[in-house]
Amino acid sequence: MIGFDYGTSNCAVGTMVDSKPELLSLAGHGQYIPSTLYAPSREVIVNWLYQQLSETEQVNFKSQRLRQLQKGQSMLRELALDGIDGDLAFGQAALSAYLDEPDEGYYIKSPKSFLGASGLMPQQIALFEDVVAAMMANVKQLAEQSLQREIEQAVIGRPINFQGLRGEESNRQAIEVLTNAAKRVGFKHVEFQFEPVAAGFEYESCLAKETKVLVVDIGGGTTDCSMLLMGPEYTKLTDRSAHLLGHSGVRVGGNDFDIQLALKGLMPSFGLDSLLKSGKPMPSNSFWQAMAINNINEQTEFYSSSNYRYLEQLQRDAQQPELIARLLNLHENKLSYRIVNGAEQGKIALTDNEQTQVELFDIDEQLMVELKRSLILTSAHRELQNITEVMHEAIEQAQCQPDVVFVTGGTAKSPVLSQFLKQQMPNSRLVVGDHFGSVTAGLTRWAQRLFS
């Protein structure tokens, strides 16, 4: 049995060792594998996945995906003629493959962000299910190699609300995709647990008395808050519903901080905030669309041929056409993920430094942008306000104040964010947990309770 954090930014797996959760080493990826996938063509994902399935599941899968498998087989023959391998890459290898040739292949980061999206066609849902299943199959195989045994039972983390405009309908859609994918790749028993609740379970293991804990889990795609009644007398219970005092979640996470930092910190070097020859400000919509890597519709619009013609006109009208030339280069070579990744690496560097340099020499040999730590706060002002609102919403539901605010998630590493959260809850003790491992460890503890 495992706890499986299928995260927006990273995936991790835990198992119990000597009554304590231990995160598994996933071969060369370490304990955390970035939630990314790269394929030489989108059409071949289904064929790679088919090869990973059991014989029984292959029969079922083929009956559902026959047309896609045939298209993928045709694409594999074309790739072979060009000397291109049809295999998939995951984690850092996927990012490296994308950065090597950003205008080739199919790269997807954080598919979890799209699972609750509104207006998806059945074929789009099927594609996301196959992408998720491929990623899960890879992680499952790595975990089984580490444990040297088959894994059949898993507790998978989930946010309070997935990204989607339809509330519970979006949540049902996302859970159905995750469940179908998990069972397809060989998990026979699958349960879900709210990610902030799981993180709370890990914190509960160190408590000596009953404590009201507000868990703030700032993930890659969502921020979730749970007000929990916790203590040593509750740790062996399998029904904790009476202790879950309040829940709230918002579609704001680390990816949004990266996007905003890219927009406010890097996009001015591509023409944002510059002027037209008329003296009017440069229209900003295309810059936002370029960075909106978690919005399928915005990215589709930005990379349309009609938008490229619009950008060419902007360049002709610009006081600094050389800046818009960089935006055109971004469009031509599909570099949105490259720019946001640069912002993310800058954000990470700003954890320990007041300022850092982001090198974008592959876009322009002269382009290096300085970012300051304070920009994290100012660029993500709206996102921080949203986080504040969900914290207070969980407290209002619980109708009590927390004794402790327990913060987890990779973005929580930023001292700017920690200071901000302290200001929001001045009368509660702030504890910053394992930035990546708390959710996985808590899911692992819950798996032991459910499946033992």
Side-chain angles (χ1 to χ4, degrees), residues 61-329:
F61 189 64
K62 192 171 185 178
S63 67
Q64 298 172 12
R65 299 283 197 273
L66 180 59
R67 184 178 178 185
Q68 291 93 327
L69 285 166
Q70 290 172 339
K71 287 181 64 177
Q73 196 62 47
S74 176
M75 178 57 68
L76 284 169
R77 287 193 291 269
E78 290 185 31
L79 292 170
L81 290 174
D82 293 330
I84 298 174
D85 185 7
D87 207 1
L88 307 188
F90 302 90
Q92 188 60 42
L95 177 61
S96 298
Y98 161 73
L99 294 177
D100 285 344
E101 294 186 282
D103 57 339
E104 299 290 339
Y106 179 76
Y107 176 74
I108 186 165
K109 176 182 179 181
S110 310
K112 184 179 176 182
S113 297
F114 306 110
L115 300 187
S118 305
L120 294 180
M121 302 294 290
Q123 59 267 32
Q124 291 176 302
I125 294 176
L127 172 63
F128 283 129
E129 187 177 298
D130 293 344
V131 168
V132 171
M135 294 173 70
M136 284 186 170
N138 179 61
V139 172
K140 185 173 185 286
Q141 290 166 11
L142 294 174
E144 289 175 339
Q145 290 171 17
S146 180
L147 290 171
Q148 290 296 296
R149 61 180 183 269
E150 188 177 358
I151 300 169
E152 294 184 344
Q153 300 167 316
V155 172
I156 301 175
R158 58 152 293 182
I160 302 297
N161 290 302
F162 288 86
Q163 296 200 33
L165 302 176
R166 299 172 298 170
E168 279 307 307
E169 187 179 345
S170 291
N171 289 337
R172 284 193 297 271
Q173 174 180 290
I175 289 295
E176 184 176 352
V177 169
L178 290 170
T179 302
N180 290 344
K183 291 192 171 181
R184 174 157 283 155
V185 301
F187 290 110
K188 294 182 180 177
H189 305 285
V190 177
E191 298 288 342
F192 292 90
Q193 180 57 271
F194 291 123
E195 289 156 353
V197 174
F201 289 154
E202 178 60 13
Y203 179 65
E204 185 178 46
S205 66
C206 69
L207 291 177
K209 62 179 182 179
E210 184 177 280
T211 306
K212 295 186 288 293
V213 182
L214 176 65
V215 179
V216 182
D217 176 24
I218 306 175
T222 59
T223 293
D224 294 313
C225 298
S226 290
M227 179 72 94
L228 306 166
L229 186 63
M230 316 212 83
E233 63 268 41
Y234 306 134
T235 57
K236 294 184 179 180
L237 299 177
T238 56
D239 182 0
R240 298 296 301 272
S241 55
H243 306 136
L244 309 185
L245 308 179
H247 281 313
S248 188
V250 66
R251 293 176 292 142
V252 170
N255 287 350
D256 298 281
F257 284 83
D258 300 337
I259 288 169
Q260 291 301 324
L261 190 59
L263 189 65
K264 304 293 171 51
L266 303 183
M267 279 292 98
S269 298
F270 292 75
L272 181 64
D273 300 329
S274 64
L275 297 175
L276 300 171
K277 291 175 181 177
S278 64
K280 294 181 179 180
M282 180 68 63
S284 61
N285 190 53
S286 288
F287 299 93
W288 157 247
Q289 290 177 334
M291 295 297 95
I293 60 170
N294 56 0
N295 189 310
I296 297 173
N297 294 329
E298 297 289 1
Q299 286 278 280
T300 300
E301 174 61 28
F302 177 75
Y303 284 108
S304 66
S305 56
S306 60
N307 190 54
Y308 186 81
R309 294 190 294 272
Y310 170 71
L311 297 180
E312 288 181 314
Q313 185 59 53
L314 278 187
Q315 184 183 31
R316 289 190 288 268
D317 295 339
Q319 287 189 15
Q320 297 173 279
E322 69 279 5
L323 298 184
I324 306 302
R326 292 171 177 166
L327 188 62
L328 284 164
N329 181 15

Side-chain angles (χ1 to χ4, degrees), residues 417-436:
L417 188 59
S418 297
Q419 184 61 36
F420 175 82
L421 294 176
K422 284 180 182 178
Q423 293 171 355
Q424 308 312 306
M425 296 287 165
N427 299 320
S428 300
R429 185 163 65 96
L430 183 74
V431 175
V432 179
D434 182 339
H435 298 294
F436 292 110

Side-chain angles (χ1 to χ4, degrees), residues 4-13 23-24 26 29-36 135-136 139 440:
F4 186 178
D5 183 8
Y6 180 72
T8 304
S9 297
N10 295 282
C11 296
V13 173
L23 271 63
L24 298 179
L26 302 173
H29 302 281
Q31 293 179 327
Y32 306 99
I33 176 171
S35 301
T36 55
M135 294 173 70
M136 284 186 170
V139 172
T440 310

Side-chain angles (χ1 to χ4, degrees), residues 364-382:
D364 185 324
E365 61 182 15
Q366 303 295 323
L367 186 53
M368 184 164 64
V369 183
E370 181 180 281
L371 297 179
K372 295 184 178 180
R373 181 185 284 176
S374 59
L375 186 59
I376 296 175
L377 190 63
T378 56
S379 66
H381 174 75
R382 183 179 62 183

Side-chain angles (χ1 to χ4, degrees), residues 342-374:
E344 180 184 9
Q345 297 310 309
K347 180 188 72 175
I348 293 170
L350 291 170
T351 300
D352 300 316
N353 303 281
E354 288 290 340
Q355 60 186 42
T356 190
Q357 301 281 346
V358 176
E359 297 179 352
L360 299 171
F361 297 152
D362 51 333
I363 296 169
D364 185 324
E365 61 182 15
Q366 303 295 323
L367 186 53
M368 184 164 64
V369 183
E370 181 180 281
L371 297 179
K372 295 184 178 180
R373 181 185 284 176
S374 59

